[in-house]
Amino acid sequence: MLSTFFAVLRRDLLLAWRGRADVLVTLAFFVIVVCLFPFGVGAEPNQLRAIAPGVLWVAALLACLLSLHRLFAQDHVDGTLEQLLLSSEPAVLWVTAKVLAFWLTTGLPVVAVAPVLALLLDLEQGGLPVLVISLLLGTPILALLGAVGAALTLGLRGGGMLLALLVLPLFVPVLIFGAGAVEAELSGTGAAAHLLLLGGGLAGALALAPWGCAAALRVSTE
Amino acid sequence: MLSTFFAVLRRDLLLAWRGRADVLVTLAFFVIVVCLFPFGVGAEPNQLRAIAPGVLWVAALLACLLSLHRLFAQDHVDGTLEQLLLSSEPAVLWVTAKVLAFWLTTGLPVVAVAPVLALLLDLEQGGLPVLVISLLLGTPILALLGAVGAALTLGLRGGGMLLALLVLPLFVPVLIFGAGAVEAELSGTGAAAHLLLLGGGLAGALALAPWGCAAALRVSTE
Amino acid sequence: MQWESWSAFWNMGGAAFYVWGSYCLTFALIALELVLVFQRRKDTVNRLLRWRKAVGRNGRGNEQRAAAGPNGVAIE
Amino acid sequence: MLEAHDLACLKGDRLLFRGLALRLEAGGLLRVAGPNGVGKTSLLRLVTGLALAEAGEVRWRGTPIRRDREAFHRELLFLGHAPALNDLLTPLENLRFACAAAGDDIDEQSCITALARIGLENQLDLPARVLSQGQRRRVGLARLFLAGQRPLWVLDEPFTALDVTAVADLAATLSDHCEAGGMVMLTTHQDAPFARAPAVLDVGVYAC
Amino acid sequence: MLEAHDLACLKGDRLLFRGLALRLEAGGLLRVAGPNGVGKTSLLRLVTGLALAEAGEVRWRGTPIRRDREAFHRELLFLGHAPALNDLLTPLENLRFACAAAGDDIDEQSCITALARIGLENQLDLPARVLSQGQRRRVGLARLFLAGQRPLWVLDEPFTALDVTAVADLAATLSDHCEAGGMVMLTTHQDAPFARAPAVLDVGVYAC
Amino acid sequence: MSRPDRGPSILRFAAPQNFYPLAGRLAPWFAGLAVVLTLVGLWLGFVVAPTDATQGEVYRVIFIHVPAAWMSMFIYLVMAFWSAVGLVMNTRLSFLMSQALAPTGAMFCVVALWTGALWGKPTWGAYWVWDARLTSQALLLFLYLGFIALTRAIEDPRRADRAGAIIALVGAVNVPVIYFSVKWWNTLHQGASVSLTKAPSMATTMLAGMLVMAIASWAYTLAVVLWRVRPMILERERHTEWVGAELMREALRQGGRA
Ligand code: HEM
Ligand SMILES: Nc1ncnc2c1ncn2[C@@H]1O[C@H](COP(=O)(O)OP(=O)(O)OP(=O)(O)O)[C@@H](O)[C@H]1O
Ligand SMILES: Nc1ncnc2c1ncn2[C@@H]1O[C@H](COP(=O)(O)OP(=O)(O)OP(=O)(O)O)[C@@H](O)[C@H]1O
Ligand SMILES: [Mg+2]
Ligand SMILES: [Mg+2]
């Protein structure tokens, strides 16, 4: 039963390792987007500090969004997905494994560098732990919801962009609570409520998204 | 001589029309990125107004960046690029045609909706013409420079993200002058200098990028 | 009755642009939607009629085409 | 064992075939024939449950395959046009994963043996990306040597891109599988030296 | 006309072949043979100038092809593994574009005739995406009917996925082209009914 | 009729060949109802209802703004409902209904946004502010657009049906989440500096006008959706005999007109 889960997880992590460039470049993208802002907006420290949590969260969201198409595309093209769907194991299992591997290789690195970038944007240090926690809770939700979108748009023309259109409205609440948590912490209101909500969202997404994603994959390869 | 140019231009425009969804969704992406900002940063009108030119330009840049991979990827996979390289016509010709078609189908629509979004972010109306002109001059530079990057990263794993990494440093000056033009206009300094520089950049890119792109394509398919 | 005259009515207490802008766009969109719906109906019916003619009465291919095979290459 | 009744397949505007029936018993080798575009690939996808028939039903051991999907897929091996190779992984890794994903627990040594048997002993640790067309197909086909316990093999153009000796080997493998009570359903435009002449299902007969 | 001396091809750290020489005169039909992975596709890419040889040189009418690329490519028609079809365009649009891109000015009627000749008259306005494997190949091959003025045809596995009648037709077309003074260089693992037996270049002989 | 009509009275209409003529017969009645109610509503709104004390005449936008906003939200719910029915019961007609509803829902969404924006300029001084209600309305539009774009982008109708249904349901789960998150987000930052200034003590005539217009838009939706779903049914069922007969009838009608 779980052997499929681990086979898929191991393979996807191995692939990420083989294609290290991909993972590094997702990160690089995150870094670059954050660094673009001072150029676009102007380098005034106060202004930068004010928009820092928002910019970081938007950049994390975009980085996640833009690597989402990788989740199933390759397997779809080369026929691996077909084979997985012909597996006698339930699809929810390996879907979860794929999403987990995806988060480990894109979400986690983003979470890891975020504090450094926050310092670049001069975010107050008190906000750092909350930033990290909010990202830790929020990026898996993005990955889970995004997986459903990626499954639905599989193999469609304009897929990548269509995916963006589908999932961005779903991502907005995550963004609001994520960036909101940091701002609430900085403004002294305390971030507990936001973080609790993010945690609840994560639990919900974990419970529902893999099923939706498995169903969507079956629909998409039919 | 020019028949290849027009054949490629016609085909790419036809393809864009067939895949209208693609073009519309690039636009939708641009719109969504701009709309995300208030969620991340907070909805305070003054703050939004201050960062509006930067956000719009960054969003235009990202929208362009993310559709760049479309420029040659399909043709590379299905073998069309190979056939074009075996053509007896000089490659610069059809490369220029492809970039032109690309800009017409992604850059131009972005320029067209930018004023509306500027109103959403409450940009002062005086800045609108400068915004449009700066985008009109700037987005073709992005397309031309991006084409070179797209050609270089063709078929590489992690291509899309690698592309981002390669071209973003080249895009930064465009971003600086583009967003700078609007800010200069709003602050009363006048945008002429910025726009002149952008124009110069465009002329330079037009003169050089197609050659670089053609050379890169030959290298990438070897 | 609220209105002194037609011009007062059209002027809407100075808010003509906002009020009439709203109503005009709304009814324009509704009209557009209706046009599109009926056009779509006509297109579909015509397309299906053409398709039926091409494929044969019951959507099952007439005898001649069936014998000729999908590519028009006779199957021995 | 495998039977289908009154199958119809609709693609876009075109009804490819209808009223198609087939029956495959243990030991049977069925070749789906017909000119290009007649609907052979489409038929295989219906039979494996990857696509949904416009009409009709496919049964495996008497049960409709939609009813008990997992039981059917446990006994099925399908190799389609695309060889299900990831370009970054080596043939060995690809093969091991393919087995694990299908739910078979195969150890590394057996995989190596299978790859060697199909003629890839020198390519074991090259990334699949650099393999030649024929070598790519072979990696996919290596699964046949590890799927003895799956009775039903459904293969779409397995001989494509293979050289002459490989075609003969593969034909022998398929014949052996049938000999041992398995079932094979395949499409091909090439002649292959099977031990027994396969039954032929001409899709063209049911074409509309 | 086409000659190559002492060609060597290096892939990764493997020298596929070396010392390979070939010569193709007007009217010649050359079949590049050898088992899977021996380097046939790699050789064709060297000959067409899409890849660079590790050693040796390819000449066309006496000039190295690198020296006068455009003149060579004006006389060359290469069809590789990938059929150069865009999935959104119809066969007709694809064919017209392929001709225009190569620099040939072909009107629509000729393209329709060519497609009909290759058996796609009913698929003229379907998007290429929905075509069957064999039909996709046919669209690519239709260019052969419009490339009479290009003497050198280089074809990589042209018979793949084609049904029996299409293979016979294609073989006849190739034979005719040679008859008319053209040159054909192709790889294939299948036998095809050529009018004259082709010359065979076994890459295996030069393998390292 | 190729298939026998089975089942209890209501379920009978779940069969496309029974629903098709029914839809054709009902639609004109709803359309007529919509026209009449719109006229009544406009009369109430522009002739009977008094000028608003604080806002002046601008408030008359309310007679389309509010019904449109209500409809846009209601239609999404109905869409999700039909999608769920389709996924559970595997009835093709339900998928068709949800796809036929989407464009109208999106249209009402645009109307609500547009009228709201035009109303906002004179009352708030800006066409757009990032208020919770406005924002969630905009996101709703994106949900609609995503649904429409997805179902259009997929060629295979069965895949389009199911994929659309899945995204409609995911969206429906998210609508309340979006609404509350946006609301909270906004109040966190904005306090009460921007809020919908309700017309104080709404006059009964105003309320009546609004309600009549709401019912009118409801009738309009029914009519247009039934009209839209009919050719979709023909398209899907084109291989059946009853569509053949229907098309022949249609051809005769066209021939007769020509
Ligand atoms: C783009 C701008 C706007 C959008 C998207 C928008 C959206 C909405 C929505 C979704 C509703 C229904 C919500 C509900 O019933 O709970 C609504 C109702 C309403 N809106 Fe707007 N609105 C906008 C601008 C305005 C403006 C500027 C005003 C007036 C100053 C206004 C006044 C109202 C009123 C009075 C209602 C009815 C409230 C109720 O029945 O509870 N809206 N609007
Ligand atoms: N949307 C569509 N409209 C019309 N015809 C379609 C559509 N989609 C697919 N087809 C047709 O359906 C057929 C698909 O056939 P399939 O791929 O099953 O053929 P095949 O028998 O496997 O052929 P081959 O031998 O070439 O592999 C093709 O003839 C194709 O043209
Ligand atoms: N980086 C590399 N390292 C080692 N070997 C490589 C590398 N890249 C390619 N090869 C080998 O080079 C050969 C490429 O052969 P090519 O594609 O030309 O074969 P082919 O003769 O066309 O075979 P087929 O009949 O299968 O099409 C393969 O054997 C492949 O394993
Ligand atoms: Mg096939
Ligand atoms: Mg080869």
Side-chain angles (χ1 to χ4, degrees):
Chain A
M1 195 71 169
L2 277 182
S3 79
T4 315
F5 180 90
F6 286 113
V8 171
L9 183 63
R10 183 151 12 91
R11 166 177 180 270
D12 277 18
L13 290 178
L14 177 64
L15 274 177
W17 174 244
R18 286 281 155 79
R20 283 179 293 277
D22 268 355
V23 178
L24 286 180
V25 176
T26 308
L27 250 187
F29 178 81
F30 176 61
V31 175
I32 295 181
V33 171
V34 173
C35 296
L36 274 185
F37 265 87
F39 295 113
V41 169
E44 211 218 321
N46 280 330
Q47 197 172 47
L48 279 184
R49 196 174 309 133
I51 64 173
V55 169
L56 282 168
W57 252 96
V58 170
L61 192 154
L62 289 176
C64 173
L65 182 69
L66 298 177
S67 20
L68 266 182
H69 74 103
R70 273 197 341 198
L71 191 46
F72 301 113
Q74 185 55 42
D75 292 347
H76 179 63
V77 171
D78 67 22
T80 305
L81 202 60
E82 220 165 52
Q83 293 293 340
L84 280 169
L85 285 170
L86 287 179
S87 160
S88 42
E89 309 293 325
V92 192
L93 274 184
W94 55 261
V95 166
T96 316
K98 282 197 94 66
V99 178
L100 176 59
F102 175 75
W103 181 74
L104 286 176
T105 53
T106 55
L108 202 54
V110 163
V111 178
V113 281
V116 181
L117 292 179
L119 288 180
L120 274 189
L121 292 183
D122 209 18
L123 189 78
E124 280 162 53
Q125 305 228 348
L128 284 190
V130 177
L131 177 71
V132 172
I133 297 175
S134 72
L135 282 171
L136 266 180
L137 290 171
T139 48
I141 311 185
L142 300 184
L144 284 162
L145 290 179
V148 181
L152 284 173
T153 54
L154 208 58
L156 298 184
R157 47 202 167 91
M161 290 290 185
L162 188 54
L163 171 60
L165 183 62
L166 281 185
V167 299
L168 270 177
L170 309 181
F171 282 9
V172 164
V174 182
L175 173 63
I176 289 177
F177 290 122
V182 186
E183 273 151 20
E185 178 71 20
L186 292 182
S187 71
T189 334
H194 287 89
L195 294 181
L196 272 180
L197 278 169
L198 277 181
L202 178 56
L206 259 177
L208 295 179
W211 300 93
C213 188
L217 281 175
R218 238 172 241 296
V219 166
S220 295
T221 51
E222 196 139 83
Chain B
M1 195 69 171
L2 277 182
S3 79
T4 315
F5 180 89
F6 286 113
V8 172
L9 184 62
R10 183 153 12 91
R11 166 178 179 269
D12 277 19
L13 290 179
L14 178 64
L15 275 177
W17 175 244
R18 285 280 156 78
R20 283 180 291 276
D22 269 355
V23 178
L24 286 182
V25 176
T26 308
L27 248 187
F29 178 80
F30 176 61
V31 175
I32 295 180
V33 170
V34 172
C35 296
L36 274 185
F37 265 87
F39 297 113
V41 169
E44 212 218 319
N46 281 331
Q47 195 173 46
L48 282 182
R49 198 172 307 132
I51 63 173
V55 169
L56 282 167
W57 252 95
V58 170
L61 192 154
L62 289 176
C64 173
L65 183 68
L66 298 177
S67 20
L68 267 182
H69 74 105
R70 274 196 341 197
L71 191 47
F72 301 114
Q74 186 54 44
D75 292 347
H76 178 63
V77 171
D78 66 23
T80 306
L81 202 59
E82 220 166 51
Q83 292 294 339
L84 280 169
L85 286 170
L86 287 179
S87 160
S88 42
E89 309 293 324
V92 193
L93 273 184
W94 55 261
V95 167
T96 315
K98 282 195 93 69
V99 178
L100 176 58
F102 175 75
W103 180 75
L104 285 176
T105 53
T106 55
L108 200 54
V110 163
V111 177
V113 281
V116 180
L117 292 179
L119 285 181
L120 276 190
L121 294 182
D122 213 17
L123 188 79
E124 281 163 52
Q125 306 226 348
L128 286 189
V130 177
L131 176 72
V132 171
I133 297 175
S134 73
L135 282 171
L136 266 181
L137 290 172
T139 48
I141 311 185
L142 300 183
L144 284 162
L145 293 179
V148 181
L152 282 173
T153 55
L154 209 57
L156 297 186
R157 46 206 167 92
M161 289 290 188
L162 188 54
L163 171 61
L165 194 59
L166 273 185
V167 298
L168 269 176
L170 304 179
F171 282 10
V172 165
V174 183
L175 173 64
I176 292 179
F177 290 120
V182 185
E183 275 151 18
E185 178 71 19
L186 291 180
S187 72
T189 335
H194 287 89
L195 292 181
L196 271 179
L197 278 169
L198 277 181
L202 178 55
L206 258 177
L208 297 178
W211 301 92
C213 188
L217 282 175
R218 243 175 237 295
V219 169
S220 295
T221 51
E222 195 136 84
Chain C
M1 192 62 185
Q2 316 289 320
W3 312 100
E4 321 269 279
S5 65
W6 279 108
S7 65
F9 178 68
W10 292 125
N11 189 36
M12 265 299 144
F17 172 70
Y18 306 109
V19 174
W20 298 127
S22 303
Y23 280 83
C24 286
L25 180 98
T26 308
F27 288 109
L29 279 181
I30 287 177
L32 180 72
E33 189 180 21
L34 287 172
V35 168
L36 286 179
V37 163
F38 287 110
Q39 197 154 358
R40 166 122 187 247
R41 174 173 174 79
K42 217 164 73 197
D43 287 353
T44 309
V45 168
N46 287 337
R47 189 155 35 85
L48 290 184
L49 279 172
R50 244 183 294 129
W51 172 76
R52 271 188 119 68
K53 214 176 290 160
V55 180
R57 272 270 151 128
N58 314 315
R60 292 194 175 154
N62 51 35
E63 305 314 313
Q64 203 187 343
R65 269 179 51 102
N71 292 329
V73 184
I75 305 166
E76 273 83 35
Chain D
M1 306 275 262
L2 180 76
E3 21 177 11
H5 297 289
D6 200 28
L7 281 184
C9 176
L10 178 75
K11 290 271 181 167
D13 276 354
R14 208 177 123 200
L15 200 59
L16 287 185
F17 52 77
R18 76 192 144 88
L20 190 149
L22 65 85
R23 204 183 161 75
L24 192 56
E25 293 296 341
L29 173 57
L30 179 66
R31 172 173 166 188
V32 179
N36 287 139
V38 77
K40 301 181 293 300
T41 299
S42 314
L43 173 62
L44 295 196
R45 290 180 65 87
L46 294 186
V47 165
T48 54
L50 279 171
L52 209 64
E54 186 64 17
E57 182 175 70
V58 181
R59 287 162 178 270
W60 172 248
R61 300 190 192 279
T63 342
I65 57 171
R66 291 265 146 187
R67 186 87 53 79
D68 193 358
R69 191 189 69 72
E70 298 194 357
F72 176 53
H73 284 164
R74 231 189 318 276
E75 304 197 271
L76 166 73
L77 175 72
F78 171 64
L79 298 181
H81 271 301
L85 291 191
N86 189 294
D87 280 349
L88 293 183
L89 299 179
T90 66
L92 184 57
E93 288 159 347
N94 268 306
L95 183 59
R96 282 206 71 182
F97 173 72
C99 293
D104 296 346
D105 196 14
I106 311 268
D107 62 67
E108 177 150 340
Q109 198 48 52
S110 321
C111 290
I112 295 183
T113 320
L115 286 170
R117 225 175 116 186
I118 207 148
L120 291 176
E121 62 278 14
N122 295 326
Q123 276 78 27
L124 282 183
D125 43 13
L126 285 181
R129 171 173 32 96
V130 304
L131 297 183
S132 80
Q133 291 293 315
Q135 289 168 339
R136 292 174 69 87
R137 277 226 77 89
R138 286 174 190 226
V139 180
L141 292 171
R143 265 192 76 197
L144 295 180
F145 296 124
L146 303 170
Q149 80 290 7
R150 292 181 179 246
L152 178 61
W153 292 359
V154 177
L155 312 175
D156 199 355
E157 309 260 359
F159 300 114
T160 305
L162 294 186
D163 60 25
V164 187
T165 46
V167 168
D169 284 355
L170 178 58
T173 309
L174 298 183
S175 302
D176 290 351
H177 180 64
C178 293
E179 210 56 47
M183 277 160 272
V184 177
M185 179 169 175
L186 56 78
T187 69
T188 177
H189 295 296
Q190 262 172 284
D191 277 324
F194 293 111
R196 258 184 319 138
V200 173
L201 170 72
D202 188 346
V203 182
V205 172
Y206 306 92
C208 306
Chain E
M1 308 272 262
L2 180 76
E3 19 176 12
H5 297 290
D6 201 27
L7 281 184
C9 175
L10 180 75
K11 289 269 181 170
D13 46 15
R14 203 175 129 206
L15 198 58
L16 286 185
F17 52 77
R18 74 191 142 89
L20 190 147
L22 66 84
R23 204 183 163 72
L24 192 56
E25 292 298 340
L29 173 58
L30 179 66
R31 173 174 165 184
V32 179
N36 288 139
V38 78
K40 302 181 292 301
T41 299
S42 314
L43 173 61
L44 295 196
R45 291 179 64 87
L46 294 186
V47 165
T48 54
L50 280 171
L52 209 61
E54 188 61 18
E57 181 173 72
V58 182
R59 288 163 178 269
W60 172 249
R61 300 191 192 279
T63 342
I65 57 170
R66 290 268 148 185
R67 186 86 53 79
D68 191 357
R69 189 190 69 74
E70 298 194 357
F72 175 52
H73 283 165
R74 231 191 316 276
E75 302 197 90
L76 166 74
L77 175 72
F78 170 64
L79 299 181
H81 272 301
L85 290 192
N86 188 295
D87 280 348
L88 293 185
L89 298 181
T90 66
L92 184 57
E93 288 158 348
N94 267 305
L95 182 60
R96 282 206 73 183
F97 173 72
C99 293
D104 295 347
D105 196 14
I106 311 269
D107 63 71
E108 178 151 337
Q109 198 47 52
S110 321
C111 291
I112 295 184
T113 319
L115 286 170
R117 226 174 116 185
I118 207 147
L120 291 176
E121 63 276 21
N122 294 326
Q123 277 76 28
L124 284 183
D125 43 14
L126 286 181
R129 170 175 30 97
V130 304
L131 296 183
S132 80
Q133 291 293 315
Q135 289 167 339
R136 293 175 68 86
R137 277 224 79 88
R138 287 175 189 224
V139 180
L141 293 171
R143 264 192 75 198
L144 295 180
F145 295 126
L146 303 170
Q149 82 290 6
R150 293 181 178 247
L152 178 61
W153 293 358
V154 177
L155 312 174
D156 199 354
E157 309 260 1
F159 299 114
T160 306
L162 293 186
D163 59 24
V164 187
T165 44
V167 168
D169 284 354
L170 178 58
T173 309
L174 298 184
S175 303
D176 289 352
H177 180 64
C178 294
E179 208 57 46
M183 279 160 271
V184 176
M185 178 169 176
L186 57 79
T187 70
T188 178
H189 296 294
Q190 262 172 285
D191 277 324
F194 293 111
R196 256 182 322 136
V200 173
L201 170 72
D202 188 347
V203 182
V205 172
Y206 307 91
C208 306
Chain F
M1 296 270 147
S2 56
R3 295 177 211 163
D5 300 336
R6 271 181 266 119
S9 52
I10 291 287
L11 278 184
R12 218 166 62 90
F13 291 112
Q17 75 266 42
N18 297 329
F19 184 76
Y20 181 84
L22 179 73
R25 242 174 295 130
L26 287 182
W29 289 99
F30 284 121
L33 186 64
V35 172
V36 171
L37 287 177
T38 308
L39 291 178
V40 173
L42 289 180
W43 177 72
L44 282 174
F46 280 96
V47 181
V48 179
T51 307
D52 185 82
T54 51
Q55 295 201 14
E57 306 295 352
V58 200
Y59 89 95
R60 289 181 202 275
V61 174
I62 203 172
F63 299 111
I64 39 177
H65 173 75
V66 175
W70 282 346
M71 274 325 277
S72 65
M73 293 186 286
F74 179 61
I75 289 178
Y76 196 89
L77 290 183
V78 179
M79 223 174 79
F81 167 76
W82 283 123
S83 298
V85 171
L87 282 181
V88 174
M89 318 247 293
N90 202 6
T91 43
R92 294 187 191 188
L93 193 54
S94 335
F95 294 123
L96 290 187
M97 279 309 280
S98 67
Q99 279 165 45
L101 279 162
T104 306
M107 193 271 288
F108 277 121
C109 226
V110 172
V111 168
L113 285 170
W114 176 267
T115 54
L118 281 187
W119 195 356
K121 186 68 182 172
T123 37
W124 301 335
Y127 285 108
W128 182 263
V129 290
W130 292 91
D131 168 80
R133 200 178 279 186
L134 280 57
T135 310
S136 49
Q137 185 78 5
L139 289 175
L140 184 65
L141 179 62
F142 279 124
L143 288 178
Y144 274 119
L145 292 183
F147 176 88
I148 295 173
L150 183 68
T151 46
R152 294 269 161 95
I154 304 177
E155 311 259 320
D156 175 25
R158 272 180 312 203
R159 178 178 170 192
D161 284 351
R162 284 154 198 286
I166 291 176
I167 201 66
L169 286 179
V170 173
V173 172
N174 268 273
V175 164
V177 177
I178 291 175
Y179 184 74
F180 287 109
S181 65
V182 169
K183 196 162 176 154
W184 197 16
W185 156 72
N186 183 262
T187 42
L188 274 178
H189 290 286
Q190 286 288 110
S193 74
V194 176
S195 68
L196 292 183
T197 47
K198 272 199 183 165
S201 67
M202 196 182 275
T204 33
T205 44
M206 289 184 199
L207 191 64
M210 222 171 74
L211 287 179
V212 170
M213 287 297 274
I215 300 174
S217 44
W218 185 77
Y220 165 79
T221 307
L222 274 173
V224 86
V225 166
L226 290 178
W227 271 326
R228 187 181 285 123
V229 84
R230 269 162 57 93
M232 292 168 82
I233 293 178
L234 287 185
E235 179 104 47
R236 291 297 170 91
E237 301 278 311
R238 61 175 174 266
H239 291 275
T240 59
E241 277 154 27
W242 74 266
V243 171
E246 184 63 38
L247 283 174
M248 293 323 292
R249 225 170 297 141
E250 202 68 41
L252 283 182
R253 207 175 308 156
Q254 281 186 3
R257 228 183 295 140

